[in-house]
Amino acid sequence: MDLTDFSPTDPRVLADPYPYYAELRRGPAARYVELDDLWVVSRFEEVGEAIRNPATFSSKALWALFGGVISAREGARPNVREFAAQQPKSLIALDPPEHIPMRRMAAKMFTKRAVDGYARMIRQISEGLVDEMLERRDGGEVDLVEHVLHPLPVWVIADILGIDQDRRSDFRRWSDILIHRLSGQGDSAEERADLKQMIDYFDQLLRERRAERGDDLISLILSENEEAGDLLTDFDMVNFCALLLSAGNETTTNLLGNLFNAFFLYPDQLVRARQLDDLKPVVEEILRWESTVQGVVRLTNSDIRIGEETIPADSIVVLQIGSANRDESRWADAERFDVDRPQLPHFGFGTGIHHCLGAALARLETEIATEVLLSRTAAIEPGAQAPDRTANIILRGFRTMPVVVKPA
Ligand code: HEM
């Protein structure tokens, strides 16, 4: 495969990036892509080394996405550092030392123990959505994304935050807008007005919970913040809630979409999954095989040598998790989706200091939703219409997935 015109933003690459990744892994450890003025790193070892080196690989580059830097191919590129300096404090885009106290505080809210306490609620929501989907199916065909995969994580995080059920549709809209902004395509006046509404809503919640604490996450954020000596302003706390919506919803929807797509491509694996008592290996395999976060973006603070290449300071670097997770030097027959393969740590949730805060929650949601979908259906098959893929250099999943389902 010829990589001369390779670009990770090219629709042909996004349609099926894996043959390109395989070719990239055979080449130099880092590759400059002139068309997008960025670097890509594709092998497991080098991706891991870079993610674990936040002193050189700054997370401020995340703002390059919001600022439209990556999509701005023509004209002068906005300066990422200047743009980042104007943005609110967001855990995912902070570097040490600022990242450390905020992460310590946030980690207390998402411990495995805290998350396990949500299992019953997640099951109830999953069962309600799946049952409603089964009732609604029209001639047997229904959109799995619209009815189950998209609402599920939004409803779950809304419940965790202690949001009224009648605000769920607002939450869904806000979450979609936040994700749309990640695509760097700018935002409309309407979207900005909607986000203002979201900020006002979280502000109001903070005020209410400050007056009377409950057992929801907003109350916990307030208590942890007090204990940490008011590390965050109200504005930072609102932004933290917005981060949970943007980092957690689309990713979980996509992971489940990728899983059912994998089942349709490998029907023997669906049969196998139906036999398993424990779906954890299935969740790990889909995180590896089709990582919903295909790449994390960094900005180099200094020149850095990777293999034989030197990436100059102030470069945007895409660390290709989707490729690293299919590295044949780590996994035998890596291109195959195989729920029985021996488990090895992967980068589906990143690694190092920014390792996904919501990993335990996302794993639990995916496991429970899959279990409910499999146990409540006798068959689940692709519908007549092809699913609609969504893909950019960061996220990979499905916008729609028509399926034919037969209740158990
Ligand atoms: C960070 C993946 C679900 C909250 C990350 C990172 C990845 C990731 C790869 C590292 C980003 C980087 O290094 O730049 C995923 C996947 C998910 C998922 C694949 C679902 C399948 C969630 C959920 C939440 C969440 C459900 C919260 C409710 C966060 C936060 C960070 C993060 C706050 C930033 C942590 C930090 O910077 O210290 N996620 N995520 N994620 N994720 Fe997730």
Side-chain angles (χ1 to χ4, degrees), residues 14-158:
L14 292 171
D16 182 11
Y18 300 108
Y20 295 91
Y21 290 157
E23 193 63 34
L24 286 168
R25 286 194 301 272
R26 280 192 282 272
R31 186 183 179 94
Y32 179 62
V33 180
E34 201 174 339
L35 203 59
D36 304 290
D37 187 17
L38 51 75
W39 289 75
V40 291
V41 177
S42 323
R43 289 200 287 258
F44 186 85
E45 195 180 325
E46 285 94 1
V47 166
E49 276 171 18
I51 301 186
R52 291 194 198 94
N53 178 2
T56 305
F57 289 91
S58 162
S59 285
K60 288 200 175 89
L62 192 82
W63 298 117
L65 297 172
F66 285 102
V69 176
I70 287 179
S71 50
R73 281 192 180 168
E74 281 137 41
R77 267 189 162 182
N79 181 300
V80 182
R81 288 187 201 277
E82 277 170 20
F83 188 79
Q86 297 155 16
Q87 304 307 314
K89 263 191 251 168
S90 178
L91 186 68
I92 200 163
L94 284 181
D95 293 328
E98 280 180 294
H99 179 264
I100 299 166
M102 194 160 162
R103 171 76 190 205
R104 193 177 298 136
M105 189 181 105
K108 287 195 203 158
M109 304 167 198
F110 282 90
T111 57
K112 172 113 180 33
R113 206 163 134 232
V115 168
D116 283 346
Y118 300 136
R120 200 216 288 238
M121 172 268 290
I122 296 172
R123 182 167 296 278
Q124 256 172 12
I125 291 179
S126 303
E127 287 175 351
L129 289 168
V130 171
D131 286 348
E132 211 179 301
M133 174 187 78
L134 290 171
E135 271 167 33
R136 277 189 187 212
R137 86 212 139 95
D138 180 11
E141 194 158 316
V142 73
D143 183 359
L144 185 61
V145 173
E146 184 189 340
H147 293 291
V148 181
L149 311 191
H150 190 124
L152 171 75
V154 183
W155 291 16
V156 167
I157 195 71

Side-chain angles (χ1 to χ4, degrees), residues 51 59 62 90-94 99 103 110 157 240 243-245 247-249 251-253 255 287 291-293 296-298 321 347-351 353-359 361-363 365-366:
I51 301 186
S59 285
L62 192 82
S90 178
L91 186 68
I92 200 163
L94 284 181
H99 179 264
R103 171 76 190 205
F110 282 90
I157 195 71
F240 181 61
L243 174 63
L244 299 182
L245 285 189
N249 291 342
T251 44
T252 309
T253 298
L255 187 64
L287 280 159
S291 319
T292 108
V293 175
V296 293
V297 188
R298 298 292 190 261
I321 287 177
F347 294 149
F349 288 116
T351 186
I353 64 164
H354 292 281
H355 180 263
C356 178
L357 189 70
L361 178 62
R363 283 185 161 113
E365 273 182 59
T366 309

Side-chain angles (χ1 to χ4, degrees), residues 297-308:
V297 188
R298 298 292 190 261
L299 181 69
T300 49
N301 284 331
S302 54
D303 291 2
I304 174 84
R305 204 162 169 76
I306 299 196
E308 297 296 300

Side-chain angles (χ1 to χ4, degrees), residues 73-378:
R73 281 192 180 168
E74 281 137 41
R77 267 189 162 182
N79 181 300
V80 182
R81 288 187 201 277
E82 277 170 20
F83 188 79
Q86 297 155 16
Q87 304 307 314
K89 263 191 251 168
S90 178
L91 186 68
I92 200 163
L94 284 181
D95 293 328
E98 280 180 294
H99 179 264
I100 299 166
M102 194 160 162
R103 171 76 190 205
R104 193 177 298 136
M105 189 181 105
K108 287 195 203 158
M109 304 167 198
F110 282 90
T111 57
K112 172 113 180 33
R113 206 163 134 232
V115 168
D116 283 346
Y118 300 136
R120 200 216 288 238
M121 172 268 290
I122 296 172
R123 182 167 296 278
Q124 256 172 12
I125 291 179
S126 303
E127 287 175 351
L129 289 168
V130 171
D131 286 348
E132 211 179 301
M133 174 187 78
L134 290 171
E135 271 167 33
R136 277 189 187 212
R137 86 212 139 95
D138 180 11
E141 194 158 316
V142 73
D143 183 359
L144 185 61
V145 173
E146 184 189 340
H147 293 291
V148 181
L149 311 191
H150 190 124
L152 171 75
V154 183
W155 291 16
V156 167
I157 195 71
D159 196 280
I160 291 174
L161 285 164
I163 307 302
D164 290 341
Q165 292 200 1
D166 57 7
R167 297 306 291 253
R168 278 174 173 172
S169 60
D170 289 330
F171 250 63
R172 191 169 167 162
R173 204 176 62 253
W174 295 335
S175 162
D176 288 347
I177 295 172
L178 289 167
I179 286 297
H180 180 235
R181 294 187 64 208
L182 250 187
S183 68
Q185 287 155 10
D187 49 358
S188 63
E190 198 186 328
E191 284 189 356
R192 279 196 295 274
D194 256 334
L195 287 186
K196 166 88 177 57
Q197 208 186 58
M198 177 193 79
I199 292 169
D200 291 346
Y201 179 65
F202 280 131
D203 260 339
Q204 179 202 328
L205 273 182
L206 283 171
R207 272 197 306 276
E208 284 172 16
R209 301 293 147 74
R210 196 169 262 134
E212 194 184 340
R213 299 287 157 93
D215 59 1
D216 53 87
L217 188 62
I218 303 257
S219 301
L220 188 61
I221 294 173
L222 283 164
S223 313
E224 293 292 349
N225 193 42
E226 270 172 22
E227 209 170 288
D230 286 331
L231 189 68
L232 306 182
T233 62
D234 278 15
F235 185 57
D236 294 333
M237 286 191 267
V238 167
N239 271 296
F240 181 61
C241 295
L243 174 63
L244 299 182
L245 285 189
S246 56
N249 291 342
E250 177 103 350
T251 44
T252 309
T253 298
N254 285 348
L255 187 64
L256 279 156
N258 291 345
L259 175 59
F260 278 85
N261 179 56
F263 282 154
F264 299 154
L265 292 172
Y266 294 87
D268 60 318
Q269 297 298 302
L270 175 55
V271 173
R272 181 73 189 118
R274 283 189 182 279
Q275 295 164 346
L276 295 174
D277 293 329
D278 178 4
L279 290 173
K280 286 187 187 70
V282 176
V283 178
E284 294 314 305
E285 176 63 353
I286 194 60
L287 280 159
R288 180 200 73 82
W289 186 76
E290 187 140 75
S291 319
T292 108
V293 175
Q294 288 277 304
V296 293
V297 188
R298 298 292 190 261
L299 181 69
T300 49
N301 284 331
S302 54
D303 291 2
I304 174 84
R305 204 162 169 76
I306 299 196
E308 297 296 300
E309 309 299 312
T310 299
I311 305 182
D314 284 322
S315 299
I316 290 177
V317 187
V318 181
L319 304 170
Q320 295 184 307
I321 287 177
S323 170
N325 281 346
R326 288 202 186 193
D327 193 325
E328 41 288 282
S329 68
R330 185 169 173 82
W331 287 278
D333 202 3
E335 303 283 355
R336 190 183 145 70
F337 176 69
D338 176 2
V339 302
D340 287 312
R341 75 169 57 246
Q343 299 287 306
L344 281 177
H346 53 74
F347 294 149
F349 288 116
T351 186
I353 64 164
H354 292 281
H355 180 263
C356 178
L357 189 70
L361 178 62
R363 283 185 161 113
L364 191 67
E365 273 182 59
T366 309
E367 195 184 326
I368 293 177
T370 305
E371 199 266 300
V372 171
L373 271 161
L374 297 187
S375 64
R376 302 221 159 187
T377 56

